[in-house]
Amino acid sequence: MATHTTNSDELDCRVLSIQSSVVYGYVGNKSATFPLQILGFDVSTINSVQFSNHTGYGKWKGQVLNAEDVSDLFEGLRLNNLLQFSHVLTGYIGKVSFLEKVGQTIAEMKQCNPDLMFVCDPVMGDNGKFYVPQELVPVYRDQIVPQADIVTPNQFELEQLTDMKVNSEEEAFAAIEKLHQSGTKTVVLSSSSLGSNGVLLCLASTAVNGNRQRYRLEMPKLDAIFVGTGDLFAASLLGWSHRDGELKAALEKTIATLQAVIKKTLAYAQKAAGPGNKPTSAQMELRLIQSKSIIENPSIEIRAENVPQS
Amino acid sequence: MAGKCEKRVLSIQSSVVWGYVGNKTAAFPLQMHGFDVSPINTVQFSNHTEYGHFRGQVLNDTDLDDLVAGLRTNNLLQFSHVLTGYIGSRSFLEKVADVIKELRNNNPNLTYVCDPVMGDGGHLYVPADLVEPYRNTIVPLADILTPNQFELELLTERKVTNEHEALEAMGRLHDKGVGTVVLSSTDFATEGTLVALASTNKESGREVYRISIPKVDATFVGTGDLFACSLLTWLHRDKEIKSAFEKTVATVQAVMARTLTYAKENTSLGTKPGMAAMELQLVQSKADIETPVVTLQATKVSQKSL
């Protein structure tokens, strides 16, 4: 039989992922699980919703978990001594009570395992608009993000979390610094419009021995809207941060993964839609399954530049 | 359109937060083989029920209707395969039958893989009123069926105590329209071995294969789900029963062996491994899932025995 990893290696790779789920398509846990499994993680999923498809289609149907439901699931795990994870990953959560319950349980898990890594995608909105109740902002700001080891806000979410305007790279790093001050070790702005025209800018900062290591990566802007890419980003970043142990390499591989999956998706969608036609939501679903080898072994084309501390 | 549906599986099974049963077991292997998997999670439990303690939520009939309606509205009811496992109520099962009929209407080439989960070792673990709809409504819709010995008895209303009776019962399922029937294990062979049987009804006649599997002194949960999704995969890829059967058995054997090794390594000597330790080492078995190494060959059962 194949040789086996040691006990501690196994324990090192168990993620609890609390995100939405859809029957058809790739968002939330559907986006995060397969890549993490490919990278060798055991993934335990709490599906905060089960919808037929993502809401971007316009029409969808399904069920939503409430705080009591998630509390029940935690209780079941607790009773069986299964709250043993190396990582927690959170994405879209739609209710204050649910988010608070998640925050409490993460605090409980961190008490039992101080090495627990919490990767938080503080999903609140984009392009100036909320898609969760605004009441979640203080919960994220005060209870959730300070517990996070890695947080992946977008530009809008960074503004909400810090109550600061983010209209330039400088302002972004200043806002990120505020998050460092409240306890978050690593902050990654996965994509922003802070770069020049036609460019999406990723900015990252990690606290190391009281100093900051900062990076920027430029990506070509594509004339298309993708759904589920933020979830893929956070999952990939978790995976590569763990495997590589340092942010620069993890960022490069994460961006490489995203870029490749997006390109494959757009190529498929345009072909399926036909020349001159706008692809449908179904046609634009991430070609995640078809990208298995990319996910396993991303080919780095965009390098991270060091950003010296000003 | 065939291209539109290609390698898309609708998988209607349970889900657990921790561990590997139902859709947690089925999705990863199917995805590794390039299938787009659309799971309808019929329950979301903290862990499987054999732990004793478990908590969670169960989908009701209206919930299922809603999910299907959402898919229908967006023209997403286009699948190449449907896979069903444990279903807990008669009304839900009847609704699943309707869904399969609708999917087949949309794609006449739909392949329905059915694990008719009802019980084992003489005991029912679903309500007794599911047996009749499985027998009369679901089975005739299935292309591939993976009953265990007890379920084969329930579906054919015949005793199955030896290989001859098993093959006869499987023949009766062929008569009902099921093209392929696979019995993943039986307990009437020699001490220390289990026999798996695969029977397929082709235009050229019936083909039956047998694989002898050494018995392992351990109880696994989720292996039936792994068997069914692997059979789906390999029948699709190899398009013939002998090789698909061998690779399916090889996959399950490899995962079981790795699981048992891990469980023993993580349990004190002399103690029986707990449920958590015995969870299938699925993710760790990625290579075996991709390329199963066949060590147990399938032998053809002669036509005279049938």
Side-chain angles (χ1 to χ4, degrees):
Chain A
M1 208 63 254
T3 54
H4 207 74
T5 50
T6 63
N7 189 17
S8 62
D9 284 353
E10 295 292 343
L11 289 173
D12 270 353
C13 281
R14 291 192 191 277
V15 186
L16 176 64
S17 180
I18 306 171
Q19 308 203 44
S20 49
S21 184
V22 285
V23 176
Y24 189 94
Y26 297 96
V27 295
N29 270 329
K30 282 293 278 317
S31 213
T33 304
F34 182 63
L36 283 168
Q37 290 172 326
I38 292 285
L39 293 176
F41 284 80
D42 180 293
V43 185
S44 293
T45 49
I46 289 182
N47 297 324
S48 57
V49 309
Q50 178 172 227
F51 288 163
S52 52
N53 45 274
H54 71 68
T55 61
Y57 282 72
K59 295 201 166 121
W60 71 93
K61 279 193 159 207
Q63 301 85 43
V64 176
L65 235 61
N66 60 36
E68 204 183 303
D69 295 328
V70 75
S71 189
D72 277 346
L73 292 173
F74 283 135
E75 182 59 15
L77 295 172
R78 204 180 278 115
L79 285 170
N80 291 298
N81 197 28
L82 298 173
L83 276 177
Q84 315 269 354
F85 298 99
S86 57
H87 296 76
V88 178
L89 173 62
T90 64
Y92 175 89
I93 288 167
K95 289 186 190 163
V96 168
S97 52
F98 194 108
L99 187 60
E100 284 175 334
K101 188 45 72 173
V102 168
Q104 284 158 22
T105 309
I106 290 172
E108 176 190 337
M109 289 194 278
K110 279 206 165 196
Q111 269 220 311
C112 293
N113 175 19
D115 293 331
L116 180 77
M117 287 276 293
F118 171 29
V119 177
C120 171
D121 184 0
V123 180
M124 288 183 278
D126 204 355
N127 298 318
K129 289 202 189 101
F130 277 99
Y131 32 69
V132 300
Q134 288 195 40
E135 290 75 26
L136 267 77
V137 177
V139 182
Y140 268 117
R141 190 189 58 221
D142 303 331
Q143 296 176 41
I144 304 294
V145 169
Q147 293 194 75
D149 297 277
I150 301 173
V151 70
T152 61
N154 58 32
Q155 203 172 320
F156 173 67
E157 289 156 357
L158 183 57
E159 290 181 333
Q160 292 301 319
L161 288 172
T162 56
D163 208 14
M164 291 165 72
K165 275 283 152 219
V166 174
N167 288 321
S168 68
E169 225 173 291
E170 242 174 38
E171 287 182 354
F173 279 121
I176 287 171
E177 182 55 34
K178 195 171 183 188
L179 292 181
H180 284 315
Q181 295 298 329
S182 71
T184 310
K185 181 165 190 277
T186 302
V187 184
V188 181
L189 198 58
S190 59
S191 92
S192 70
S193 55
L194 299 171
S196 36
N197 270 341
V199 160
L200 288 174
L201 191 59
C202 168
L203 298 174
S205 172
T206 188
V208 181
N209 297 327
N211 290 325
R212 306 287 180 254
Q213 265 170 20
R214 292 174 172 169
Y215 304 100
R216 67 196 300 280
L217 298 98
E218 285 188 5
M219 297 159 285
K221 201 176 200 175
L222 294 173
D223 185 25
I225 298 172
F226 298 93
V227 184
T229 39
D231 306 321
L232 178 59
F233 188 96
S236 302
L237 188 64
L238 187 160
W240 288 112
S241 297
H242 178 75
R243 283 179 69 152
D244 288 349
E246 60 102 359
L247 184 61
K248 184 167 194 275
L251 274 176
E252 289 172 341
K253 287 178 185 167
T254 298
I255 296 283
T257 304
L258 265 292
Q259 288 293 297
V261 172
I262 282 169
K263 279 195 187 119
K264 200 182 259 275
T265 301
L266 195 56
Y268 171 85
Q270 284 170 341
K271 189 170 178 208
N277 297 327
K278 187 165 176 249
T280 62
S281 289
Q283 288 163 341
M284 284 291 287
E285 288 284 2
L286 293 180
R287 298 295 278 175
L288 206 66
I289 306 308
Q290 297 77 7
S291 301
K292 184 179 72 177
S293 46
I294 295 167
I295 292 165
E296 235 163 353
N297 202 15
S299 174
I300 300 172
E301 286 171 20
I302 301 170
R303 291 278 166 197
E305 284 170 55
N306 281 47
V307 177
Q309 231 170 321
S310 46
Chain B
M1 241 199 310
K4 204 162 129 186
C5 299
E6 210 174 290
K7 291 185 85 163
R8 290 195 199 284
V9 185
L10 178 68
S11 181
I12 306 174
Q13 306 202 48
S14 50
S15 183
V16 286
V17 176
W18 174 285
Y20 296 97
V21 295
N23 270 330
K24 277 294 274 322
T25 297
F28 180 64
L30 286 167
Q31 289 168 329
M32 285 296 293
H33 285 285
F35 284 88
D36 181 292
V37 181
S38 293
I40 289 184
N41 297 323
T42 54
V43 309
Q44 179 171 228
F45 287 163
S46 51
N47 45 269
H48 68 68
T49 59
E50 295 299 308
Y51 281 76
H53 293 299
F54 63 94
R55 295 275 191 280
Q57 301 85 40
V58 176
L59 224 64
N60 61 37
D61 297 356
T62 312
D63 295 331
L64 176 64
D65 277 342
D66 278 347
L67 291 173
V68 174
L71 295 170
R72 192 184 293 117
T73 299
N74 290 297
N75 197 26
L76 299 172
L77 284 177
Q78 312 281 343
F79 293 97
S80 57
H81 295 76
V82 182
L83 174 60
T84 64
Y86 175 90
I87 286 163
S89 82
R90 182 186 178 121
S91 55
F92 200 99
L93 185 62
E94 286 169 340
K95 278 199 182 290
V96 167
D98 289 338
V99 171
I100 291 161
K101 287 174 191 165
E102 184 175 352
L103 293 179
R104 192 162 271 143
N105 210 35
N106 294 343
N107 174 20
N109 292 323
L110 181 82
T111 300
Y112 173 28
V113 179
C114 172
D115 185 0
V117 179
M118 286 182 280
D120 205 356
H123 301 291
L124 273 176
Y125 38 65
V126 299
D129 65 355
L130 265 77
V131 179
E132 188 274 322
Y134 261 119
R135 193 188 291 139
N136 295 324
T137 312
I138 294 285
V139 160
L141 294 173
D143 297 286
I144 298 162
L145 200 71
T146 60
N148 59 32
Q149 195 173 326
F150 176 54
E151 290 156 357
L152 182 59
E153 290 183 333
L154 290 171
L155 292 174
T156 56
E157 298 179 273
R158 302 194 113 54
K159 272 281 154 222
V160 173
T161 61
N162 58 49
E163 190 168 304
H164 178 78
E165 287 175 354
L167 295 174
E168 218 229 353
M170 289 159 91
R172 287 179 171 273
L173 292 175
H174 287 318
D175 293 339
K176 284 192 166 186
V178 186
T180 302
V181 183
V182 183
L183 214 53
S184 60
S185 86
T186 58
D187 67 4
F188 41 68
T190 24
E191 273 301 309
T193 61
L194 302 165
V195 165
L197 296 167
S199 176
T200 190
N201 220 16
K202 296 160 72 130
E203 271 162 30
S204 44
R206 196 171 161 197
E207 252 177 59
V208 182
Y209 290 92
R210 178 200 295 126
I211 297 180
S212 289
I213 304 169
K215 229 175 194 169
V216 169
D217 185 25
T219 309
F220 297 92
V221 182
T223 40
D225 305 323
L226 180 58
F227 192 95
C229 71
S230 301
L231 190 65
L232 186 162
T233 298
W234 290 110
L235 277 171
H236 179 83
R237 280 185 71 155
D238 290 357
K239 305 200 188 323
E240 61 99 358
I241 188 69
K242 180 177 190 284
S243 143
F245 186 31
E246 287 172 339
K247 287 174 186 171
T248 298
V249 169
T251 304
V252 178
Q253 288 294 299
V255 175
M256 277 169 46
R258 182 171 282 104
T259 302
L260 201 53
T261 303
Y262 171 84
K264 285 181 178 162
E265 275 174 10
N266 288 284
T267 307
S268 339
L269 272 171
T271 325
K272 192 165 170 241
M275 288 291 156
M278 285 293 288
E279 288 284 2
L280 295 180
Q281 289 278 294
L282 204 70
V283 169
Q284 298 79 355
S285 300
K286 188 172 76 169
D288 289 303
I289 289 166
E290 251 173 332
T291 317
V293 176
V294 174
T295 53
L296 301 170
Q297 306 285 338
T299 52
K300 200 166 193 180
V301 173
S302 79
Q303 288 293 319
K304 286 187 224 126
S305 314
L306 303 172

